[in-house]
Amino acid sequence: YYALGRGVRVVSVPAQHFSGRGLCDRNATLWSGYVITGPGGPVYFAGDTGYGPHFQQIRQVYGDIRLAILPIGASNPRWFMARIHISPEEAVRVHGVLKAHTSLAVHFGTFQLSDDAQRGPPLKLRAAMARAGVPSKRFWVLRFGEGRDVP
């Protein structure tokens, strides 16, 4: 972990992805997400990750998450991307597993990284939220450049 002072720490936590920077170093380095702990409650940045037991483990260690920053894009085709990127539907499940007060959708809409339609992930996320009964005030999809205060 890294201590920032005033009781704030940044801790590397598990994620599920692959790694590689050259031709001969496939999976030779680790990947991770981060939890920022402090007086305001834990903030979790998932980074790139597939779905797995690490979400429950993070919840067990850090308790209810104040803000979960979760990827929703680059998840199709599922046969290829499921191990490394959660889908919008899985992001809603992760929101629940973490018992996140608020979640923020990231990792979509900037570059064409997969078979996802450019605006497809937010539409799928909103549909999954409706099916799960998650109100829009609890899982944000921000416009480019938009900011919000976290309750």
Side-chain angles (χ1 to χ4, degrees):
Y1 76 90
Y2 184 78
L4 296 175
R6 298 184 193 247
V8 177
R9 294 185 336 164
V10 178
V11 183
S12 177
V13 294
Q16 178 179 300
H17 205 269
F18 63 85
S19 65
R21 295 288 181 240
L23 295 175
C24 301
D25 65 349
R26 186 69 157 189
N27 293 329
T29 58
L30 296 177
W31 46 92
S32 65
Y34 297 94
V35 173
I36 303 164
T37 62
V43 173
Y44 169 56
F45 174 69
D48 277 353
T49 186
Y51 192 85
H54 55 286
F55 296 115
Q56 182 62 38
Q57 294 164 356
I58 290 164
R59 164 72 179 54
Q60 288 171 344
V61 172
Y62 296 98
D64 296 358
I65 301 295
R66 180 176 181 195
L67 176 67
I69 304 168
L70 303 174
I72 65 167
S75 63
N76 285 310
R78 291 308 293 156
W79 66 267
F80 179 71
M81 296 294 209
R83 293 185 316 114
I84 59 173
H85 293 156
I86 59 175
S87 67
E89 296 82 4
E90 287 170 328
V92 172
R93 280 187 19 213
V94 171
H95 171 83
V97 168
L98 294 171
K99 297 191 187 308
H101 182 270
T102 305
S103 289
L104 171 64
V106 296
H107 199 268
F108 70 93
T110 304
F111 302 105
Q112 189 70 39
L113 299 174
S114 69
D115 291 347
D116 297 333
Q118 195 72 358
R119 292 299 299 162
L123 296 173
K124 289 181 179 180
L125 178 70
R126 287 185 182 104
M129 289 167 52
R131 285 191 300 276
V134 176
S136 61
K137 68 180 181 179
R138 297 282 310 277
F139 205 132
W140 301 338
V141 178
L142 303 182
R143 295 180 311 274
F144 292 113
E146 180 181 359
R148 293 194 189 170
D149 291 329
V150 179

